[in-house]
């Protein structure tokens, strides 16, 4: 299916999602979020897709924030609905059951930073700039940025970035734990693909259960999180991939996982 604001292609069990509005630095509008939602629903059911990589078209921007022309005409009612819809799309990305990697190739500001925060991992180009500048426009984060940023990097970091609205460099984002790794621009997508391929070699159900343990467990008291982990561990022993994985280890050969 062709999309107006996104490019989507599948290759080697990786789904590549590219925000494709380079004339406006890939700014998010309603249409873009609707298309992203459609892709995520399709990818969830597509057995040929094991990992998603999200990036931006062009060399300047991952996603430079919201489309200001849409933002400027929001009302209290439409603004709340817009935020709730965006949150639902990013919740779907975060809980897809398939890992997602943000390849941040430039500006990741406002909604762009929030998209990256909803991904499982974040890799950044050395030229990337990240931030939550909403307060400079008289608003606050609307797609979950205040919540995910505080959980990922701590309340102090979230307060600083969200209250000053200042951009930070990729190296600073690495220092505070906002991104996992920083690469030269030409190395960014190859690094994202290499990480995706490492994940793909592992058992699909084990990957899914591990993500569920982390995503749900982080919101629980530790004892409850450990109980969830134990339950998922028990479930993982009942599938064919566990038999194959342990047998392959003992036979000193690569495992051939089937996701069953």
């Amino acid at each position: 299916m062709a999309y107006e604001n996104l490019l989507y292609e599948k290759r080697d069990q990786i789904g590549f999602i590219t925000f494709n509005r380079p004339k406006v630095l890939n700014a998010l509008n309603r249409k873009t979020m609707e298309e992203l939602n459609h892709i995520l629903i399709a990818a969830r059911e597509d057995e040929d897709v094991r990992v998603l990589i999200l990036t931006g078209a062009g060399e300047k921007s991952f996603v430079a924030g919201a489309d200001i022309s849409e933002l400027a005409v929001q009302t209290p009612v439409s603004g709340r609905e817009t935020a709730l819809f965006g949150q639902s799309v990013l919740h779907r990305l975060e809980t897809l059951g398939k890992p997602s990697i943000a390849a941040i190739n430039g500006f990741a500001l406002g909604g762009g930073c929030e998209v990256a925060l909803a991904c499982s991992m974040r890799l950044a180009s050395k030229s990337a700039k990240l931030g939550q500048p909403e307060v400079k426009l008289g608003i606050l984060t609307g797609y979950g940025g205040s919540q995910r940023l505080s959980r990922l990097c701590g309340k102090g970091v979230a307060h600083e970035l969200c209250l000053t609205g200042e951009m930070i460099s990729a190296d600073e984002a690495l220092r505070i734990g906002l991104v996992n790794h920083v690469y030269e621009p030409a190395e960014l997508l190859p690094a994202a693909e290499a990480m995706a391929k490492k994940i793909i070699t592992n058992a699909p159900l084990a990957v899914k259960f591990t993500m569920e343990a982390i995503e749900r467990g982080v919101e629980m008291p530790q004892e409850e999180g450990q109980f969830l982990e134990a339950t998922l561990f028990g479930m993982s022993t009942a599938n064919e991939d566990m038999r194959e994985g342990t047998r392959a280890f003992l036979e000193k050969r690569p495992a051939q996982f089937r996701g069953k």
Side-chain angles (χ1 to χ4, degrees):
M1 178 177 176
Y3 296 95
E4 182 179 332
N5 296 335
L6 296 174
L7 299 175
Y8 182 55
E9 62 173 322
K10 296 182 290 184
R11 186 173 69 251
D12 299 328
Q13 294 186 289
I14 303 171
F16 294 85
I17 301 174
T18 303
F19 294 93
N20 188 36
R21 303 181 74 212
K23 290 183 179 179
V24 290
L25 299 179
N26 304 321
L28 297 177
N29 60 7
R30 177 73 181 216
K31 180 69 172 176
T32 303
M33 294 303 289
E34 289 173 350
E35 291 180 355
L36 178 59
N37 193 48
H38 187 276
I39 289 172
L40 294 176
I41 291 171
R44 182 182 59 198
E45 306 302 327
D46 190 342
E47 294 183 359
D48 291 332
V49 174
R50 294 279 311 281
V51 180
L52 293 174
I53 294 176
L54 287 73
T55 194
E59 299 178 356
K60 294 182 178 180
S61 183
F62 174 71
V63 173
D67 189 317
I68 303 300
S69 63
E70 281 193 2
L71 183 62
V73 297
Q74 293 287 353
T75 68
V77 173
S78 68
R80 180 176 182 273
E81 192 279 330
T82 295
L84 288 174
F85 175 68
Q87 288 175 5
S88 72
V89 176
L90 297 189
H91 178 72
R92 175 166 284 118
L93 172 62
E94 189 173 48
T95 60
L96 196 65
K98 298 181 180 184
S100 53
I101 302 170
I104 305 169
N105 56 312
F107 293 114
L109 305 175
C113 192
E114 290 174 299
V115 169
L117 283 166
C119 290
S120 310
M121 290 153 283
R122 287 151 295 280
L123 311 183
S125 161
K126 285 189 174 181
S127 62
K129 300 289 185 183
L130 299 91
Q132 300 288 172
E134 286 87 352
V135 290
K136 293 179 179 290
L137 298 174
I139 55 174
L140 69 153
T141 55
Y143 287 178
S146 64
Q147 305 307 301
R148 290 191 177 93
L149 188 56
S150 59
R151 285 163 171 76
L152 181 66
C153 301
K155 285 172 61 178
V157 168
H159 277 120
E160 181 176 350
L161 292 184
C162 292
L163 296 181
T164 67
E166 295 298 315
M167 292 187 296
I168 61 172
S169 67
D171 287 337
E172 177 64 5
L174 178 64
R175 187 188 72 80
I176 64 175
L178 178 49
V179 301
N180 298 72
H181 302 282
V182 175
Y183 298 95
E184 294 291 343
E187 298 172 355
L188 178 62
L189 274 178
E193 289 188 50
M195 180 175 285
K197 288 175 181 177
K198 286 181 182 179
I199 295 169
I200 288 168
T201 63
N202 298 320
L205 289 176
V207 168
K208 181 179 180 180
F209 289 160
T210 298
M211 291 184 66
E212 185 171 351
I214 293 170
E215 293 295 342
R216 294 188 181 277
V218 75
E219 304 296 335
M220 299 175 175
Q222 184 170 327
E223 186 175 353
E224 292 181 18
Q226 289 179 175
F227 185 81
L228 171 64
E229 181 184 80
T231 301
L232 293 169
F233 175 83
M235 291 174 61
S236 72
T237 66
N239 62 66
E240 294 177 15
D241 278 351
M242 189 277 276
R243 312 294 176 210
E244 166 62 12
T246 52
R247 188 183 305 115
F249 178 84
L250 294 172
E251 295 174 357
K252 296 181 171 57
R253 60 174 175 80
Q256 301 295 319
F257 296 119
R258 299 174 58 198
K260 297 181 179 181

